[in-house]
C-alpha cells in the first residue's frame, strides 16, 4: 500500500516543530458548484504561509504548485525541505523576510485539500464521485481563501507549469487582485500534444485492474502500476533528450544485463532503472485519483474559455505587470508557447529564459536564474 502522508500526520509532525512558517493549515472555504457541473458541500483547502502580512496588506505573494507539488514550498519552521527551496525563503528571490508568501494545495489534490480520497458527509471516500475540476475552479476557490486570510490583493502571483496555468488564470479571473504575475514554463491553453501525453497517463491509470473505476480505497490493492506508468511517461517529458543521454547514455544498471541472460529476466539500462525509481517515488507519495483529477484539469486549461478570444482574455491583464519565462530545453511546454502567451498580451512582453539543459523540470531546479529579472521587475530592488 502506498504511504500517502495525510494532513493529520503532517499536522502532528508540525506541532513538534514550533513556529509558523511552512506549517500546514487547513480551512473550509464552503460549498462549491464546479465549472462543469459538479458540487461539493464543503471544500477544505490546505495552505502554508511564510513571513508576515504587512499592516496595509501590500506584501502578499501567492506561489502556485505544479502537478504533483503541494503547499510546502520552503522549509520555514517545519522539519522538511520544500520544493522551491532557494527560490523562496529568507533572503531568496521571493524573500520571506519582506513578503508574506502563501501556497495552497489545489482542490482535487491529496496533500490536505479536499480531493477524491477525502470523506463525504457519510464518511465515505468520494472516489469516482469526485467532480471534474478545472483550473478556473482551482483559482475561484483559492480567491475565497485569500479573502479569509485578509488578502485583498496580491503583490505577485507566481507559478510554473500547472502552477503557471493557475497563476495566469487567477490573474485573468481576478485582475484587480493581482499586481504582478509571473508565469514560468507554461502556456495560455493546453495544446493537442500536451493533451495527448496526458491521455496516455490517464489511460494507464484507468486500465490498471486495481483502479476499480476510482473506488479502490479500502481495497487490498491500488492502481500503483498504472500510476507508475503515468509518472514514467510524464517524467520523460519533464527531461530533455540531451540530459538523459548525458546522464545515462546506453549504460547498463549496475549488476544488470539489459541484453538478457539465459538464467533470468532481462536486466535494465540505467535510464530504465531511473524511471522505475521515479515511478516508485510518486506512487509512495500520491493518490492515483488525484493524479487523474489534476491531469484532466490541466488538459482542460484554456484561459480563453468564457471570453471572446485569447486576446480578449489577456486584455483583462491590462493593469497587471506580466513576466513570462520559459526553459530553453523544455519539450513539454515549448518556449514558443511562452512566446505566444507573451506576444498575445495587450502590451506584448519579451520572454525571459531559464538556460538549463534539464528540460521542463528546469523551472524547479534552476528557478534562481530568474533572480535578477524578478528582483528588477517584480520585487523592486
Ligand atoms: C523536494 C520535494 O519535496 S519532492 C516532493 C514534492 N514534489 C514536488 O513538489 C514536485 C516538484 N519536484 C520534483 O518534481 C522533483 O523533486 C525535481 C524535479 C525538483 C527533482 O527531481 P529528482 O527526482 O530529485 O531529480 P533527479 O532526476 O536528479 O533524480 C534523482 C533520483 O534518481 C535516483 N537515480 C539516479 N540514477 C538512478 C538509477 N540509475 N537508478 C535508480 N535511481 C536513480 C537518485 O538516486 C535520486 O533518488 P532520490 O530522489 O530517491 O534521492
Ligand atoms: N516535476 C513536476 C513537473 C510538473 O510540471 C511535478 O511533478 O509536478
Amino acid at each position: 500500500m502506498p504511504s500517502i502522508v495525510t494532513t493529520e500526520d503532517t499536522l502532528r509532525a508540525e506541532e513538534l516543530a514550533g513556529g509558523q512558517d511552512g506549517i500546514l493549515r487547513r480551512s473550509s472555504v464552503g460549498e462549491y458548484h464546479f465549472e462543469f457541473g459538479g458540487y461539493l458541500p464543503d471544500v477544505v483547502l490546505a495552505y502554508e504561509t511564510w513571513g508576515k502580512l504587512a499592516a496595509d496588506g501590500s506584501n502578499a505573494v501567492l506561489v502556485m504548485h505544479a502537478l504533483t507539488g503541494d503547499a510546502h514550498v520552503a522549509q520555514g519552521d517545519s522539519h522538511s525541505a520544500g520544493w522551491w527551496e532557494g527560490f523562496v525563503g529568507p533572503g531568496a528571490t521571493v524573500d520571506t523576510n519582506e513578503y508574506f508568501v502563501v501556497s495552497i494545495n489545489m482542490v482535487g489534490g491529496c496533500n490536505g485539500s479536499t480531493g477524491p480520497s477525502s470523506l463525504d458527509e457519510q464518511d465515505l471516500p468520494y472516489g469516482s464521485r469526485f467532480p471534474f475540476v478545472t483550473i478556473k475552479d482551482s483559482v475561484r476557490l483559492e480567491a475565497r481563501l485569500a479573502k479569509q486570510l485578509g488578502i485583498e490583493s496580491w503583490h505577485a502571483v507566481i507559478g510554473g507549469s500547472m502552477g503557471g496555468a493557475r497563476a495566469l488564470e487567477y490573474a485573468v479571473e481576478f485582475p484587480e487582485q493581482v499586481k504582478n504575475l509571473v508565469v514560468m514554463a507554461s502556456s495560455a491553453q493546453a495544446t493537442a500534444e500536451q493533451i495527448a501525453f496526458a491521455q496516455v497517463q490517464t489511460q494507464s491509470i484507468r486500465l490498471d485492474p486495481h483502479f476499480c473505476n476510482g473506488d479502490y480505497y479500502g481495497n487490498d490493492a491500488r492502481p500503483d502500476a498504472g500510476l507508475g506508468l503515468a509518472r514514467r511517461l510524464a517524467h520523460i517529458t519533464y527531461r530533455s533528450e540531451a540530459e538523459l543521454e548525458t546522464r545515462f547514455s546506453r549504460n547498463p544498471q549496475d549488476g544488470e544485463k539489459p541484453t538478457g541472460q539465459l538464467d533470468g529476466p532481462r536486466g535494465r539500462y540505467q535510464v530504465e532503472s531511473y524511471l522505475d525509481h521515479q515511478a516508485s517515488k510518486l506512487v509512495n507519495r500520491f493518490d492515483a485519483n488525484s493524479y487523474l483529477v489534476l491531469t484532466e484539469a490541466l488538459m482542460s486549461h484554456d484561459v480563453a474559455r468564457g471570453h471572446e478570444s485569447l486576446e480578449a482574455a489577456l486584455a483583462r491583464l491590462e493593469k497587471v505587470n506580466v513576466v513570462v519565462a520559459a526553459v530553453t530545453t523544455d519539450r513539454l511546454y515549448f518556449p514558443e508557447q511562452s512566446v505566444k502567451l507573451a506576444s498575445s498580451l495587450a502590451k506584448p512582453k519579451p520572454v525571459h529564459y531559464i538556460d538549463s539543459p534539464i528540460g521542463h523540470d528546469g523551472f524547479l531546479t534552476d528557478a534562481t536564474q530568474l533572480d535578477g529579472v524578478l528582483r528588477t521587475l517584480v520585487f523592486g530592488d
Side-chain angles (χ1 to χ4, degrees):
M1 290 274 277
S3 53
I4 293 169
V5 179
T6 66
T7 308
E8 287 69 27
D9 291 339
T10 317
L11 287 173
R12 267 197 298 279
E14 289 162 351
E15 274 167 24
L16 302 171
Q20 295 294 308
D21 285 5
I23 302 300
L24 195 76
R25 299 189 199 101
R26 302 173 84 213
S27 183
S28 166
V29 292
E31 64 172 354
Y32 183 73
H33 292 272
F34 285 79
E35 188 183 353
F36 287 115
Y39 170 79
L40 287 178
D42 183 33
V43 176
V44 170
L45 291 182
Y47 67 99
E48 298 188 14
T49 68
W50 297 259
K52 285 197 169 52
L53 184 61
D56 63 1
S58 63
N59 69 337
V61 173
L62 179 60
V63 174
M64 301 290 215
H65 68 73
L67 186 71
T68 73
D70 52 31
H72 197 52
V73 176
Q75 179 154 355
D77 298 311
S78 79
H79 293 298
S80 54
W83 54 265
W84 237 350
E85 213 65 60
F87 183 63
V88 178
T93 310
V94 184
D95 187 350
T96 53
N97 289 332
E98 287 193 29
Y99 290 91
F100 177 63
V101 178
V102 179
S103 187
I104 307 169
N105 183 219
M106 182 168 152
V107 64
C110 53
N111 286 293
S113 290
T114 304
S117 61
S118 303
L119 303 181
D120 66 11
E121 287 168 315
Q122 278 72 50
D123 275 349
L124 295 170
Y126 282 107
S128 60
R129 295 172 297 126
F130 200 78
F132 188 89
V133 174
T134 66
I135 302 294
K136 286 186 203 295
D137 290 319
S138 148
V139 304
R140 286 171 184 165
L141 287 161
E142 285 147 13
R144 290 188 188 178
L145 183 64
K147 207 168 180 187
Q148 286 182 0
L149 295 174
I151 296 164
E152 286 177 10
S153 75
W154 298 98
H155 174 76
V157 179
I158 302 181
S161 193
M162 188 179 79
R166 293 166 68 201
L168 175 63
E169 191 71 73
Y170 198 109
V172 168
E173 191 78 357
F174 308 105
E176 70 292 350
Q177 295 176 27
V178 179
K179 197 169 162 198
N180 297 281
L181 165 69
V182 183
V183 181
M184 296 157 61
S186 194
S187 67
Q189 297 160 309
T191 64
E193 185 180 68
Q194 287 159 357
I195 293 170
F197 280 136
Q199 195 256 15
V200 179
Q201 296 171 47
T202 58
Q203 284 296 85
S204 301
I205 293 170
R206 289 213 162 87
L207 294 175
D208 185 313
H210 298 303
F211 180 60
C212 302
N213 195 36
D215 295 315
Y216 51 78
Y217 305 112
N219 293 354
D220 288 340
R222 293 177 183 231
D224 294 350
L227 179 59
L229 272 181
R231 183 61 165 182
R232 283 177 179 85
L233 174 68
H235 196 76
I236 298 167
T237 69
Y238 299 157
R239 298 302 168 115
S240 73
E241 188 268 344
E243 195 229 7
L244 296 178
E245 190 59 36
T246 308
R247 215 166 151 185
F248 304 112
S249 185
R250 300 185 43 75
N251 299 328
Q253 181 65 10
D254 284 354
E256 300 192 25
K257 194 175 171 212
T259 47
Q261 46 211 10
L262 292 175
D263 57 347
R266 183 182 75 79
R268 297 170 300 174
Y269 292 97
Q270 273 183 15
V271 69
E272 294 180 271
S273 166
Y274 170 71
L275 285 183
D276 289 347
H277 184 69
Q278 293 294 337
S280 128
K281 273 207 303 187
L282 189 78
V283 163
N284 283 323
R285 70 175 176 87
F286 222 77
D287 176 43
N289 273 327
S290 282
Y291 194 90
L292 282 180
V293 168
L294 299 182
T295 299
E296 288 175 352
L298 193 50
M299 288 163 93
S300 78
H301 171 52
D302 179 4
V303 82
R305 193 170 59 248
H307 304 276
E308 277 184 10
S309 63
L310 175 61
E311 288 70 21
L314 297 179
R316 290 169 60 79
L317 304 179
E318 195 189 353
K319 294 187 182 147
V320 179
N321 175 39
V322 184
V323 177
V324 180
V327 181
T328 47
T329 53
D330 197 331
R331 60 170 164 179
L332 181 60
Y333 287 83
F334 291 101
E336 298 81 65
Q337 286 157 12
S338 294
V339 172
K340 183 180 176 194
L341 167 60
S343 58
S344 303
L345 294 165
K347 289 182 204 142
K349 291 283 184 75
V351 170
H352 301 273
Y353 288 95
I354 297 172
D355 187 9
S356 164
I358 279 184
H360 180 64
D361 268 345
F363 84 89
L364 291 162
T365 57
D366 294 293
T368 50
Q369 283 188 27
L370 297 174
D371 185 71
V373 166
L374 296 183
R375 283 183 194 271
T376 304
L377 297 179
V378 174
F379 296 111
D381 271 12

